[in-house]
Amino acid sequence: MLLTKTILDTFLDTRLESEKRCAPLQTEDYVVQPIEDVSPPKWHLGHTTWFFEEFLLQKYSADYIPFNDDFSFVFNSYYESVGKRVIRANRGNLSRPSVAEVYDYRKYVTDKIVDLFSAKTSKEMFELLEIGIHHEKQHQELLLTDIKYILGNNPLFPFYKEDWNEDPNSDNSEIWLSVAEGIYSIGHTGEGFCFDNELGNHQIYLPSYEISNLLVTNADFLEFIQEGGYSSFEYWHAEGWDWLNKNQISAPLYWHNIDGTWHQYTLKGLQLLDPNNPVSHISYYEAFAYAQWRGLRLPTEFEWEVAQENFKWGDRWEWTESAYLPYPGYKKADGALGEYNGKFMVNQKVLRGGSVATPKEHTRATYRNFFHPKLRWQYTGLRLAR
Ligand SMILES: [Fe+2]
């Protein structure tokens, strides 16, 4: 019974937190989709709700009547096994359902979940509720980064919250942490919650290496820009060089050179670039090129995991040199939830750590985030290794 209460409390807190993250928005902000990767906030609120409806209520609540029969089509993200859906690029066309209807949908499903768990429970139901909670927390991070993209690409640069701090100042001096050659344990042991892509705890061999205790800063990155980093092909992968030229990239996302002075759009509006803060919103291509220019490299995800106890992390998602691949013995879940992680294990890089947008206690040392190398709307940065 205590367990029921605890997880239901966490469920309710999680539902509330998503809405809190949207509280500073105007109604118009909820609907915009400036690029395919950025979903409208309204869609995130509906999709996280649909997840509980689809995977719990439809399955375990015998007399459940869906809030609206069209919502599975509107709010299914990528689950082929669940059926047809609005394609990702068209989420911004959804002027309906209205924001108010989506909030009503949230309340309806939240209440029905509480009713369901008050009436009956099972191990499988708890596991699905837990996944639903962690799924919603992932979308809470996306809510903030998508809101940042929406407001940060508005020519008026409106702020999200005047006091929102995305830059924890750090005045530590750099230490190169040494790790000895050896056999190390990687991955989650399965005690407590983790996603399936972390399972398959296994041993790997690492040659000796060093890793910095600090993230690369804006000042560091500015030096790379000023020394021609973006105009020297030799630091870039061919794919990165093509991407840079095609998209005319010459600085991290949200950097604006205004009359010769560098500014940065943050969730508190357009600010002067603070040199001491960790660089953010860079692609893997840029992280790699920066490391090349320094004559250094990115750590692999294994090097990161082995060393992470000895440095502070969680301010920026850190690009690693590792491709996103299954661990030995990786097994997809049965049914639609097997589509959660496994089908993305191609052409993506692993990011480790977490960011200022990640909900508290959502990430962990074995957490494997993954994105295409060109993407930079998340709070992405880098740490160097050698
Ligand atoms: Fe999702």
Side-chain angles (χ1 to χ4, degrees):
M1 201 57 210
L2 184 67
L3 183 64
T4 314
K5 187 174 185 317
T6 308
I7 195 161
L8 271 185
D9 285 346
T10 309
F11 167 73
L12 292 171
D13 289 348
T14 306
R15 300 292 285 164
L16 205 60
E17 174 61 22
S18 303
E19 293 168 19
K20 268 195 206 158
R21 288 188 176 212
C22 293
L25 301 182
Q26 304 284 323
T27 306
E28 290 79 359
D29 302 326
Y30 279 92
V31 193
V32 185
Q33 184 178 31
I35 55 169
E36 183 173 351
D37 303 300
V38 170
S39 295
K42 181 175 71 178
W43 186 87
H44 287 294
L45 293 178
H47 165 70
T48 47
T49 303
W50 166 83
F51 196 94
F52 290 110
E53 182 175 65
E54 176 63 34
F55 295 113
L56 271 161
L57 295 174
Q58 295 278 30
K59 200 168 164 192
Y60 295 98
S61 185
D63 53 353
Y64 181 70
I65 299 163
F67 179 81
N68 182 322
D69 287 331
D70 290 332
F71 279 13
S72 181
F73 175 66
V74 172
F75 292 123
N76 175 5
S77 52
Y78 54 65
Y79 295 89
E80 302 283 352
S81 17
V82 177
K84 284 202 161 61
R85 62 205 173 277
V86 171
I87 63 166
R88 190 180 187 188
N90 288 349
R91 291 174 188 166
N93 298 349
L94 295 164
S95 58
R96 306 294 170 88
S98 69
V99 172
E101 272 177 283
V102 170
Y103 274 110
D104 289 346
Y105 177 43
R106 286 184 69 82
K107 178 163 177 11
Y108 180 83
V109 166
T110 299
D111 290 349
K112 294 284 181 197
I113 288 282
V114 173
D115 291 348
L116 172 66
F117 277 81
S118 305
K120 65 168 181 184
T121 53
S122 70
K123 185 169 173 281
E124 200 185 25
M125 282 170 61
F126 275 123
E127 284 172 3
L128 287 166
L129 185 62
E130 197 172 36
I131 289 180
I133 291 168
H134 287 273
H135 170 255
E136 181 143 356
K137 284 172 185 271
Q138 288 182 316
H139 279 274
Q140 286 168 2
E141 172 148 16
L142 290 169
L143 268 170
L144 273 190
T145 55
D146 292 8
I147 290 167
K148 182 170 182 179
Y149 198 94
I150 289 165
L151 301 181
N153 282 279
N154 181 311
L156 302 176
F157 295 120
F159 62 78
Y160 167 69
K161 268 190 192 173
E162 259 177 317
D163 59 349
W164 209 88
N165 184 17
E166 60 185 43
D167 288 314
N169 263 298
S170 153
D171 53 5
N172 295 337
S173 49
E174 186 164 51
I175 298 166
W176 285 90
L177 303 160
S178 296
V179 179
E181 173 188 30
I183 306 284
Y184 293 96
S185 172
I186 294 294
H188 201 278
T189 56
E191 269 189 47
F193 180 82
C194 72
F195 285 110
D196 60 4
N197 60 5
E198 299 163 65
L199 287 172
N201 182 267
H202 61 289
Q203 308 286 302
I204 54 146
Y205 165 77
L206 291 178
S208 63
Y209 64 97
E210 290 187 320
I211 187 165
S212 174
N213 66 326
L214 298 182
L215 292 169
V216 167
T217 64
N218 286 335
D220 298 331
F221 213 83
L222 194 55
E223 213 182 316
F224 171 67
I225 295 176
Q226 285 164 345
E227 295 205 5
Y230 280 90
S231 49
S232 308
F233 72 89
E234 59 266 39
Y235 305 130
W236 299 78
H237 286 107
E239 205 176 284
W241 188 242
D242 288 348
W243 166 83
L244 170 162
N245 284 303
K246 193 173 153 206
N247 298 289
Q248 301 190 329
I249 306 286
S250 55
L253 183 63
Y254 300 123
W255 283 35
H256 299 276
N257 193 322
I258 301 170
D259 300 330
T261 306
W262 281 105
H263 291 67
Q264 185 179 28
Y265 177 77
T266 74
L267 283 171
K268 57 182 172 187
L270 196 62
Q271 309 282 316
L272 279 175
L273 188 74
D274 186 330
N276 300 319
N277 290 325
V279 69
S280 196
H281 300 292
I282 54 169
S283 63
Y284 162 78
Y285 301 134
E286 290 162 293
F288 175 87
Y290 175 84
Q292 286 281 298
W293 171 72
R294 289 281 306 269
L296 299 166
R297 64 178 178 83
L298 304 181
T300 64
E301 64 167 320
F302 309 118
E303 289 173 331
W304 188 96
E305 187 172 323
V306 168
Q308 55 76 32
E309 274 178 0
N310 298 310
F311 53 73
K312 175 177 179 267
W313 53 266
D315 296 333
R316 298 289 180 266
W317 283 107
E318 303 177 30
W319 286 108
T320 72
E321 195 49 274
S322 299
Y324 180 45
L325 294 172
Y327 283 169
Y330 173 72
K331 204 177 153 289
K332 275 194 221 176
D334 293 332
L337 283 175
E339 295 185 54
Y340 202 105
N341 283 310
K343 71 180 186 182
F344 300 108
M345 290 175 176
V346 63
N347 297 332
Q348 315 233 24
K349 285 286 189 179
V350 173
L351 299 100
R352 289 302 196 102
S355 85
V356 284
T358 313
K360 279 194 186 68
E361 289 155 29
H362 177 64
T363 188
R364 56 197 156 263
T366 56
Y367 196 107
R368 306 174 78 202
N369 201 353
F370 51 91
F371 282 106
H372 278 277
K374 68 177 180 187
L375 294 176
R376 42 185 212 164
W377 96 109
Q378 296 302 301
Y379 285 88
T380 48
L382 81 152
R383 177 188 308 278
L384 293 165
R386 62 187 183 192

